[in-house]
Amino acid sequence: MDADTLVEDRRTGPADGLASWRDGPAREAVVAFVSRVCGGGGAPAVPVEQRVAVFDNDGTLWCEKPMPIQLDFILRRFVDMADADHALRDQQPWKAAHERDYAWLNEVMQAHYAGDDRLLKVFAAGLLAAYDGMSVDEFEQRSEAFLRTATHPTLGRGYLGCTYRPMVELLDYLTAHGFTTYIVSGGGRDFMRPVSDELYRVPRERVIGSTVSLAYAGGTITHTPVLDYLDDGPQKPIRIWSRIGRRPLLAAGNSNGDSAMLDFSRHADMPFLRLLVLHDDEDREFAYTAGSESALEQAGRDGWTVVSMKDDWATVF
Amino acid sequence: MDADTLVEDRRTGPADGLASWRDGPAREAVVAFVSRVCGGGGAPAVPVEQRVAVFDNDGTLWCEKPMPIQLDFILRRFVDMADADHALRDQQPWKAAHERDYAWLNEVMQAHYAGDDRLLKVFAAGLLAAYDGMSVDEFEQRSEAFLRTATHPTLGRGYLGCTYRPMVELLDYLTAHGFTTYIVSGGGRDFMRPVSDELYRVPRERVIGSTVSLAYAGGTITHTPVLDYLDDGPQKPIRIWSRIGRRPLLAAGNSNGDSAMLDFSRHADMPFLRLLVLHDDEDREFAYTAGSESALEQAGRDGWTVVSMKDDWATVF
């Protein structure tokens, strides 16, 4: 491929496709970055094959409160399993799911934040058992059926309506300027794949996320009860390299688990942009910084662009 | 993405870009398959996003005898290490590399074929140590420098000249008909990436291959001395699923390690094609079936298309 023949040289105007972004420093940073990438300001345009943008999913592209959408999917699976096998009702995590005991789930997270992962291991063991032996095809059918029918517990909308409109606009804006967009999520890769193209125009081959180890036999790929990797923290740049083989120009996240990915997206010789979405809009979404403390600190130190949902977004959903 | 708007409906003519293929059953199978995918014969064309073609590399796209090209790269690394550290000269595999003791290397492979992998483990331990701590950037620089300068030991050409012209034509032919092409190699993913676009028009993000586990710190990704996975046998369909999330329509290989990938590329409701390259041309390349015995058997049973280098290819390089 001859990079030069593919270089886009479009200039970006202030009104191009970012209608849900209010005027302000975040929007200005995005427009200025894309303009530089496309050759605005006199520097050579960046060849399109190097225009890679990576996005965390939960809390960055769609809602993650009161619990990550995939957690709702998993809890329903636990309920189904406990309905089918009564013995499970006395064991965690099925017991909590069966009894709708959110206090136990909270306890898991509180202990985790306090550095004690014993309960998290109990939960993870249940999770790994929940899909053991299931084909990737069946898993996707279940994931898609759930995503198309389940509704958010408090926002009064289906889960597919929980994507952030400004971020979807940003994905399209980048694509229109020659970027290739990827999802790099701590959530399950195969959980998001059935809807990623429809929601984000990110096709399934550009979804990077966590996964269990898979097995192959007789034409079918199935889940094993062993974690392959959790695509979070330092694993994010590693998975980006493994899948793409390039260092992104733009990385967007919202939590501590995204810091390494944002850090990785720094260049000595090309424009780059790191975005950190700040959940500060209790009226339209949620307001929280738990799990983002060190990322917010690093944003201040390293010049990452903090995107305030309250101030920078005219519309959230 | 609306698949229908992207569907290619070009018909394929017999002379389109396969000039190095002789008329015969292999060429006919390729042309008929591509025609069906594009809607020839009355069935609906396959949406372009589902037109995925996967290719093994060593022995399928380029030469793997008298030894895989990457093995030459690794042996040179062992020689350099033994030059720098005399103590290594008494240890395998550095000893064999330093002394150009190909008998020991043959012994490794003979024992492996006989089911005894003790020597292979010694070799693998050396391999894993050889790049421990090296950044992926430096590894690629070394790989690229080697591939651009080293020459094949017997064919009288540089390694970059060891690609099979008919297969490169096939890759381009598929691309021209809306396919997305991937390399799925048992060799090292990062070894091939620096040249895959130039050789095959397969960009680095579409190279799937073996890798060690990587580590991330301070903006740099480095090799660890731990194998992540060997992309061979049943791992090939697993890695295809992990990376692409689709079942290919076309799979091409040449050895037993490719059988699972070819097997995976069967469809109930779409055209598909499995190609097995047969090395039967001692005059122009090499003649061997060692390592391909079970694949050749399965080709007969399952209707895979065997591509005879001697009969089906007018030109090899």
Side-chain angles (χ1 to χ4, degrees):
Chain A
M1 190 186 308
D2 181 351
D4 292 335
T5 65
L6 288 173
V7 168
E8 299 239 338
D9 197 34
R10 266 189 265 180
R11 295 302 187 277
T12 57
D16 285 1
L18 296 175
S20 302
W21 290 73
R22 291 205 185 103
D23 284 336
R27 190 180 195 286
E28 279 164 23
V30 167
V31 172
F33 160 72
V34 171
S35 173
R36 281 198 306 279
V37 167
C38 294
V46 179
V48 283
E49 67 270 22
Q50 294 181 38
R51 299 186 194 177
V52 169
V54 293
F55 289 79
D56 170 56
N57 191 36
D58 296 311
T60 299
L61 295 180
W62 73 3
C63 196
E64 66 176 352
K65 294 291 176 185
M67 62 177 147
I69 295 172
Q70 191 171 4
L71 180 53
D72 188 0
F73 174 70
I74 293 161
L75 292 177
R76 292 176 195 221
R77 170 76 177 155
F78 289 156
V79 170
D80 289 346
M81 293 172 80
D83 283 348
D85 178 359
H86 292 204
L88 290 175
R89 295 179 190 176
D90 298 325
Q91 296 175 41
Q92 296 293 16
W94 295 274
K95 184 170 188 290
H98 179 68
E99 297 170 0
R100 274 69 172 170
D101 177 10
Y102 299 114
W104 185 80
L105 294 166
N106 260 326
E107 210 181 315
V108 173
M109 291 315 295
Q110 293 306 322
H112 169 64
Y113 284 136
D116 177 355
D117 276 352
R118 281 173 299 175
L119 288 177
L120 192 64
K121 279 179 185 152
V122 172
F123 183 86
L127 172 57
L128 292 169
Y131 304 103
D132 181 20
M134 188 181 287
S135 74
V136 292
D137 312 279
E138 184 182 343
F139 180 84
E140 277 214 4
Q141 283 163 18
R142 287 170 182 250
S143 163
E144 182 167 8
F146 163 79
L147 287 167
R148 293 201 182 283
T149 56
T151 55
H152 188 280
T154 65
L155 290 172
R157 50 178 67 239
Y159 277 135
L160 294 190
C162 290
T163 60
Y164 304 134
R165 189 190 290 186
M167 296 306 278
V168 174
E169 287 176 2
L170 175 57
L171 287 162
D172 290 341
Y173 180 74
L174 292 166
T175 302
H177 291 85
F179 278 81
T180 305
T181 52
Y182 290 84
I183 292 172
V184 181
S185 174
R189 178 193 63 211
D190 290 354
F191 176 72
M192 292 170 285
R193 275 177 159 170
V195 296
S196 63
D197 198 15
E198 176 179 333
L199 295 183
Y200 305 125
R201 266 74 66 195
V202 175
R204 51 198 302 113
E205 61 268 25
R206 300 210 307 261
V207 176
I208 303 171
S210 301
T211 183
V212 293
S213 290
L214 302 172
Y216 175 81
T220 302
I221 295 175
T222 51
H223 287 227
T224 75
V226 178
L227 182 70
D228 190 353
Y229 56 85
L230 185 67
D231 185 34
D232 199 44
Q235 273 295 320
K236 288 204 170 192
I238 290 169
R239 293 298 141 189
I240 290 168
W241 176 263
S242 298
R243 185 77 75 87
I244 313 173
R246 301 183 196 276
R247 197 181 282 261
L249 300 189
L250 182 151
N254 77 300
S255 75
N256 301 338
D258 300 316
S259 294
M261 171 173 84
L262 269 64
D263 194 48
F264 182 57
S265 304
R266 180 172 38 196
H267 293 259
D269 52 356
M270 283 192 286
F272 59 96
L273 182 67
R274 284 84 59 89
L275 298 177
L276 192 70
V277 174
L278 175 65
H279 293 268
D280 58 356
D281 194 330
E282 199 155 15
D283 293 337
R284 298 186 297 178
E285 203 241 9
F286 298 94
Y288 60 97
T289 54
S292 307
E293 301 87 345
S294 68
L296 284 163
E297 279 174 32
Q298 194 172 353
R301 278 201 311 278
D302 288 358
W304 299 352
T305 298
V306 175
V307 177
S308 159
M309 295 182 75
K310 189 165 187 283
D311 298 332
D312 291 314
W313 291 356
T315 310
V316 173
F317 297 110
Chain B
M1 192 186 307
D2 181 351
D4 292 334
T5 65
L6 288 173
V7 168
E8 299 240 336
D9 197 34
R10 264 187 268 181
R11 296 301 188 278
T12 57
D16 284 2
L18 297 175
S20 301
W21 289 72
R22 291 205 186 100
D23 285 335
R27 189 181 196 285
E28 279 163 24
V30 166
V31 171
F33 159 72
V34 171
S35 173
R36 282 199 305 281
V37 167
C38 295
V46 179
V48 283
E49 68 270 23
Q50 293 180 37
R51 299 185 194 177
V52 169
V54 293
F55 289 79
D56 170 57
N57 191 36
D58 296 311
T60 299
L61 295 179
W62 73 3
C63 195
E64 65 176 355
K65 294 290 176 187
M67 62 178 149
I69 295 173
Q70 191 171 3
L71 180 55
D72 188 1
F73 174 69
I74 293 162
L75 291 177
R76 292 175 196 220
R77 170 75 177 154
F78 288 156
V79 170
D80 288 346
M81 292 171 81
D83 284 348
D85 177 359
H86 291 206
L88 291 174
R89 296 179 188 175
D90 297 326
Q91 295 175 42
Q92 295 294 15
W94 295 274
K95 184 170 187 292
H98 179 67
E99 296 170 1
R100 274 69 172 170
D101 177 10
Y102 299 114
W104 185 80
L105 294 167
N106 262 327
E107 209 181 315
V108 173
M109 290 315 294
Q110 294 306 324
H112 168 64
Y113 283 135
D116 177 355
D117 277 350
R118 281 174 300 177
L119 287 177
L120 191 63
K121 278 179 185 152
V122 171
F123 183 86
L127 171 57
L128 292 170
Y131 304 102
D132 180 20
M134 189 181 287
S135 74
V136 291
D137 311 280
E138 185 182 343
F139 180 84
E140 277 213 4
Q141 283 163 18
R142 287 170 181 249
S143 163
E144 182 168 7
F146 164 79
L147 287 167
R148 294 201 182 283
T149 55
T151 55
H152 189 280
T154 64
L155 290 171
R157 51 178 65 239
Y159 276 134
L160 294 190
C162 289
T163 61
Y164 305 135
R165 191 190 290 186
M167 296 305 278
V168 173
E169 288 175 2
L170 176 56
L171 287 163
D172 289 341
Y173 180 74
L174 292 167
T175 302
H177 290 85
F179 279 82
T180 304
T181 53
Y182 290 84
I183 292 172
V184 181
S185 172
R189 177 192 64 211
D190 290 354
F191 176 71
M192 292 169 286
R193 275 178 159 171
V195 297
S196 63
D197 197 16
E198 177 179 333
L199 294 183
Y200 305 124
R201 265 75 65 197
V202 174
R204 51 197 303 115
E205 60 269 26
R206 300 208 310 259
V207 176
I208 302 170
S210 300
T211 182
V212 293
S213 289
L214 302 172
Y216 174 81
T220 302
I221 295 175
T222 51
H223 287 227
T224 75
V226 178
L227 182 69
D228 189 354
Y229 56 86
L230 186 66
D231 185 33
D232 199 43
Q235 272 296 319
K236 288 202 171 193
I238 290 169
R239 292 299 142 189
I240 289 168
W241 176 263
S242 298
R243 186 77 74 88
I244 311 173
R246 300 182 196 276
R247 197 181 282 262
L249 300 188
L250 183 152
N254 77 300
S255 74
N256 300 339
D258 299 316
S259 294
M261 171 173 84
L262 269 63
D263 193 48
F264 182 58
S265 304
R266 180 172 40 194
H267 293 259
D269 52 356
M270 284 191 288
F272 58 95
L273 182 67
R274 285 81 62 89
L275 299 176
L276 192 70
V277 174
L278 176 65
H279 293 267
D280 59 355
D281 194 331
E282 198 155 17
D283 293 336
R284 298 186 297 177
E285 204 241 10
F286 298 93
Y288 59 97
T289 54
S292 306
E293 302 87 346
S294 69
L296 284 162
E297 278 173 32
Q298 194 172 352
R301 278 200 313 278
D302 289 359
W304 300 351
T305 298
V306 174
V307 177
S308 159
M309 295 182 72
K310 187 165 189 283
D311 298 332
D312 291 315
W313 290 358
T315 310
V316 173
F317 296 110

